[in-house]
Amino acid sequence: GPGLVGALLVGVSEAKAISFATGIPLVGVHHIEGHISANFIENKELEPPFICLVASGGHSHIVEVQDYTHYHILGHTVDDAAGEAFDKVARTLGLPYPGGPSVANAAKTGDPKAYRLPVPHVDGKYNVSFSGLKTAVLNEVNKAQMKNEEINRADVAASFQKAVTDVLTEHTIYAARKYGMDKVALAGGVASNSALRASMKAACEKAGIQLYYPAPILCTDNAAMIGAAGYYEFIKGTRHGLDLNAVPNLKLGER
């Protein structure tokens, strides 16, 4: 876990069957731990501790990676995850699913300053909120329709994307400075967004922080990242029995 229970049950059942048939140890892995561990596959020099921004369709976390298997969640989304917000905005603009690539492609020809969208800040320096931003986009589209005006999808996409990347970058850099970290990593499907990477790169260079992120193919859900996380759990001595079950709402750090 966490994730959709049907998919989790299929994976857990297969893993238990292989373990039972071969005698290979069974090691349960946390989904978010997998996304973070994707950074270790290509960035051999990356070692904890560091700050990691995990942004995907179901999760938006700012995590203090204390060790390969120890994590401390500093902040999270209080409503929609970043990837979920991208999907909903794409649907509002009539763009195809998945929303992340669709909005990013549309934003390439848009003006990120064309629409004044609310920056999704909430109380505290680590938590984020995207529901108000999503609603603001919907309002702009509805307003244009009521006036029988053509909405500029590229400008809306670019303005939305900038609002998301700005707040994620700002909060992540703040966390790195607050915790005295000189390394920041990106993880999750949204970590493949070129605008987020560019924003984080500029902010990290300005702050003297080293930035790491996986190849785009390792940002979405994949077996390699789960294998990487499983490797570090195995080295630590983590083992599970055949009573291991899927936990759709499993929190990072729980077993």
Side-chain angles (χ1 to χ4, degrees), residues 151-163:
I151 190 78
N152 189 317
R153 287 179 172 82
D155 285 352
V156 174
S159 300
F160 165 77
Q161 181 174 254
K162 185 177 188 306

Side-chain angles (χ1 to χ4, degrees), residues 112-169:
K113 298 181 180 178
Y115 290 88
R116 294 177 60 89
L117 299 177
V119 179
H121 288 287
V122 295
D123 292 338
K125 291 294 185 179
Y126 305 119
N127 292 342
V128 293
S129 168
F130 295 112
S131 64
L133 180 58
K134 172 199 63 183
T135 301
V137 171
L138 180 61
N139 290 339
E140 291 291 346
V141 173
N142 289 339
K143 188 164 54 177
Q145 291 175 344
M146 290 173 62
K147 295 180 179 179
N148 202 27
E149 297 176 349
E150 187 71 25
I151 190 78
N152 189 317
R153 287 179 172 82
D155 285 352
V156 174
S159 300
F160 165 77
Q161 181 174 254
K162 185 177 188 306
V164 173
T165 57
D166 281 356
V167 74
L168 290 177
T169 299

Side-chain angles (χ1 to χ4, degrees), residues 168-191:
L168 290 177
T169 299
E170 179 183 331
H171 286 219
T172 303
I173 296 300
Y174 176 84
R177 285 173 167 164
K178 195 73 174 177
Y179 279 76
M181 300 288 188
D182 60 359
K183 292 175 287 188
V184 163
L186 305 180
V190 181

Side-chain angles (χ1 to χ4, degrees), residues 1-2 28-38 40 68-71 225-226 228-230 232-233 236 252-255:
V29 171
H30 194 283
H31 185 166
I32 302 303
E33 184 178 345
H35 278 301
I36 295 172
S37 296
F40 301 129
Y68 291 102
T69 58
H70 292 89
Y71 309 90
M225 72 179 196
I226 297 301
Y232 291 110
E233 288 290 348
K236 189 185 74 171
L252 188 62
E254 290 184 345
R255 290 290 184 268

Side-chain angles (χ1 to χ4, degrees), residues 191-212:
S192 63
N193 182 280
S194 58
L196 176 60
R197 292 190 178 202
S199 175
M200 287 295 303
K201 183 177 180 180
C204 284
E205 287 178 352
K206 184 177 180 180
I209 296 171
Q210 183 67 41
L211 177 64
Y212 299 88

Side-chain angles (χ1 to χ4, degrees), residues 14-86:
E14 178 72 7
K16 288 197 287 189
I18 293 173
S19 177
F20 179 78
T22 65
I24 295 173
L26 182 64
V27 179
V29 171
H30 194 283
H31 185 166
I32 302 303
E33 184 178 345
H35 278 301
I36 295 172
S37 296
N39 280 283
F40 301 129
I41 296 174
E42 296 174 321
N43 303 306
K44 306 298 184 184
E45 73 281 11
L46 177 60
E47 297 178 350
F50 58 88
I51 295 296
C52 187
L53 169 65
V54 183
S56 66
H59 310 278
S60 288
H61 295 324
I62 296 176
V63 180
E64 178 194 9
V65 182
Q66 300 169 330
D67 201 349
Y68 291 102
T69 58
H70 292 89
Y71 309 90
H72 175 213
I73 297 177
L74 304 178
H76 57 84
T77 178
V78 298
D79 39 57
D80 293 347
E84 184 181 4
F86 270 93

